[in-house]
Amino acid sequence: MTYERKESWAEEIAAHLKERFGLYVRDAVLVDKGWLNVKWKMETDQGLIFVKYYHPERYKLHTHPDRRRAVEKTLQLQYGLNKAGIPYPSPIHDNLKFIHETRSGLLLTVQNWVDGLEDRGVEVGEIGGFTVEGCQSSTFMI
């Protein structure tokens, strides 16, 4: 995957964010971690966001609806954790759909940016069930 291709994707995603959510991207910095998926820290007129492009060879979300549903569910849980007051990145949704698709078919998620610490271990206990804007979860462990 070339740098130019990643730049092209960032430009397409910036156009999508402007059209869909009214976010104007001022800067996009590649987050060079992970395997195949491409991620950016983007500065917008409304603050910092994190964008993750789901590479089609990694997740195959276009051809495996079960995987897409599983990723959507995970993003719904993240959204619920954030709404319950737990400091966790909150995915930006469109009518509670958390995976967005650009005109050319790029699948991505957009989340508020949360600064973190590397190599910091924390124990998280059991969290009770919650319901937030139609996202429901039973008790689970994280």
Side-chain angles (χ1 to χ4, degrees):
M1 213 173 317
T2 66
Y3 178 79
E4 290 77 22
R5 175 169 256 184
K6 292 175 185 177
E7 283 292 307
S8 173
W9 289 337
E11 289 171 10
E12 179 180 345
I13 290 167
H16 176 80
L17 294 173
K18 180 180 177 185
E19 178 183 309
R20 194 79 199 133
F21 300 105
L23 294 171
Y24 294 89
V25 175
R26 296 179 179 147
D27 190 29
V29 177
L30 194 61
V31 177
D32 195 21
K33 298 197 184 244
W35 179 68
L36 284 183
N37 296 318
V38 183
K39 297 163 280 299
W40 295 269
K41 178 181 182 179
M42 293 187 173
E43 179 186 345
T44 75
D45 61 322
Q46 296 180 33
L48 295 174
I49 59 171
F50 173 78
V51 176
K52 178 179 182 177
Y53 159 59
Y54 294 101
H55 193 281
E57 293 303 314
R58 173 82 197 277
Y59 285 96
K60 300 182 183 346
L61 298 179
H62 283 99
T63 58
H64 290 82
D66 56 322
R67 291 182 187 169
R68 187 169 179 158
R69 281 190 299 274
V71 172
E72 277 280 351
K73 181 65 175 174
T74 299
L75 293 167
Q76 285 178 354
L77 290 172
Q78 281 184 231
Y79 177 75
L81 288 170
N82 181 275
K83 291 298 175 190
I86 297 166
Y88 209 85
S90 182
I92 296 172
H93 65 88
D94 184 12
N95 294 320
L96 293 176
K97 291 188 180 188
F98 297 92
I99 296 176
H100 311 288
E101 186 167 356
T102 66
R103 290 178 189 233
S104 76
L106 299 179
L107 296 176
L108 57 117
T109 187
V110 181
Q111 302 178 22
N112 65 317
W113 181 267
V114 176
D115 285 321
L117 300 173
E118 290 190 28
D119 299 323
R120 181 175 166 245
V122 245
E123 289 186 32
V124 179
E126 191 173 285
I127 299 171
F130 57 87
T131 303
V132 179
E133 294 182 37
C135 298
Q136 186 168 356
S137 170
S138 57
T139 303
F140 60 95
M141 297 290 286
I142 58 171

